[in-house]
Structures are given as C-alpha cells and as structure tokens.
Amino acid sequence: MVVNVTDEEIMNKAKEGKVQMLAILFERHHVRLFNYFLRLTGDRGISEDLTQDVFFRILKYKKTYRQESKFTTWMFQIGRNVHIDYIRKYKKEMPLDEVWEQEPAKAPQPDQKTETDQENAIIRKALSQLPPSKKEVLLLSRFQGMKYQDISRVLGCSLSAVKVQDHRAIKDLRKNYLQLRGGAR
C-alpha cells in the first residue's frame, strides 16, 4: 500500500524511472507548499504557479535528489529557489509591503468567530510587514513545522543563525502585532 511508503522511498523510485510516483508526492505536499507560497506572495494565482513549478523542477532534477535529508527539506530548497527566481523576474511589479487579503487554503470552519478572523488578519498583516528573510524563517519554522536543522539546510546557513533569525523574527512579529492592535504591551 502506498500509505506506508515514505517520501524518500517514493522519490528513489521516481529516480529509477517510475515518475508516476511523483503524483503521490504532489498529493501529499501541494497544499503545504501552496500555503507557504501564499504567505510569501499573498496571491493565489502566483502561489499555484510556483507550486506547479516546484513539482516540475522535482521531475526535471529527480536524479539530483540525495537521501541525505528529508524529501520535504529538498522540496522546500527547490521552493525557495523558485520563489527567488520569481522575485528576480518580477521584482519591480511585486510590492513587498502589500497586505494579504487571501486566506491560506484550509477546510472551512463555519463556527469560526469574527474576532478570530480579525486576529488572524492582524497577524497576517504583521507578518507581511516583516522583511522577506525573517518572514521566510517564520513560515518554515512555525507554519510548516520544520526543524531548525532542516531550515538551515534550506537556507544554506548554520543552525545557530537560524535560531537567531527565528528569535528576532518572532520579536519583530510581536512588535508589529502590538502596534497594529493599538499599542505596545
């Protein structure tokens, strides 16, 4: 059964020529990757395109995959490169301080309160005000649940640098949040 097969085993089968196995990886990870891009770009259409581009590159560069780290770490390294390429290509058109108006993809929750929606909007706005490097660390650590060691591989920096960046990003996010709420506490 495919359920018990790890991402790494699937990727190794894809490397051997069974590229149809990549569909399993797409099903497992496309929403997670889409949400990562949506929080970075604030645009659903762009996020869908970037997500597809990541899986296209996974297919294209499948022979370069090494099982030294988790598949998701490799996938997010590719995702980071895709996002950097996008920024370089459309840098002049992309306002970095734009307020996000779109929610990440998730199951609808009809009983969600207006107050929670307002808090989430403030958090999204506070996050959008962070510089891209701090935003990226928070998205990987807090929203994607990646371990610092994996983030250091994705970002190509030391473990201690990731810890410092994460700490500073949380501090700045808190400051932004409190300012948006109407004053520091």
Side-chain angles (χ1 to χ4, degrees), residues 125-144:
K125 185 171 183 177
L127 185 62
S128 73
Q129 293 175 346
L130 294 176
S133 60
K134 289 182 179 179
K135 187 187 313 180
E136 186 174 42
V137 169
L138 280 181
L139 291 176
L140 292 172
S141 67
R142 304 294 194 237
F143 291 93
Q144 298 302 327

Side-chain angles (χ1 to χ4, degrees), residues 31-77:
V31 171
R32 184 176 178 196
L33 197 56
F34 171 81
N35 284 333
Y36 169 72
F37 287 131
L38 183 58
R39 287 182 176 107
L40 283 173
T41 66
D43 186 287
R44 286 187 178 279
I46 292 169
S47 300
E48 288 170 357
D49 291 345
L50 295 177
T51 300
Q52 288 177 2
D53 194 19
V54 168
F55 283 97
F56 173 75
R57 289 188 189 187
I58 288 172
L59 174 63
K60 183 176 180 180
Y61 299 113
K62 66 185 179 297
K63 296 285 185 188
T64 66
Y65 173 72
R66 305 278 181 264
Q67 201 170 339
E68 297 160 358
S69 61
K70 295 190 308 186
F71 167 77
T72 53
T73 302
W74 185 66
M75 178 186 74
F76 276 104
Q77 284 174 321

Side-chain angles (χ1 to χ4, degrees), residues 85-154:
D85 291 347
Y86 169 77
I87 289 173
R88 286 181 183 146
K89 187 173 180 181
Y90 299 105
K91 187 160 70 172
K92 295 175 186 168
E93 299 174 21
M94 192 172 134
L96 294 177
D97 60 349
E98 180 178 296
V99 178
W100 295 333
E101 296 182 14
Q102 301 179 25
E103 292 275 340
K106 59 183 178 180
Q109 298 175 343
D111 61 335
Q112 205 170 25
K113 296 178 180 155
T114 304
E115 185 176 315
T116 303
D117 291 341
Q118 291 171 345
E119 289 295 313
N120 289 338
I122 293 170
I123 291 170
R124 282 194 308 276
K125 185 171 183 177
L127 185 62
S128 73
Q129 293 175 346
L130 294 176
S133 60
K134 289 182 179 179
K135 187 187 313 180
E136 186 174 42
V137 169
L138 280 181
L139 291 176
L140 292 172
S141 67
R142 304 294 194 237
F143 291 93
Q144 298 302 327
M146 290 181 74
K147 295 182 173 155
Y148 289 146
Q149 186 66 41
D150 293 332
I151 296 170
S152 73
R153 288 186 187 115
V154 170

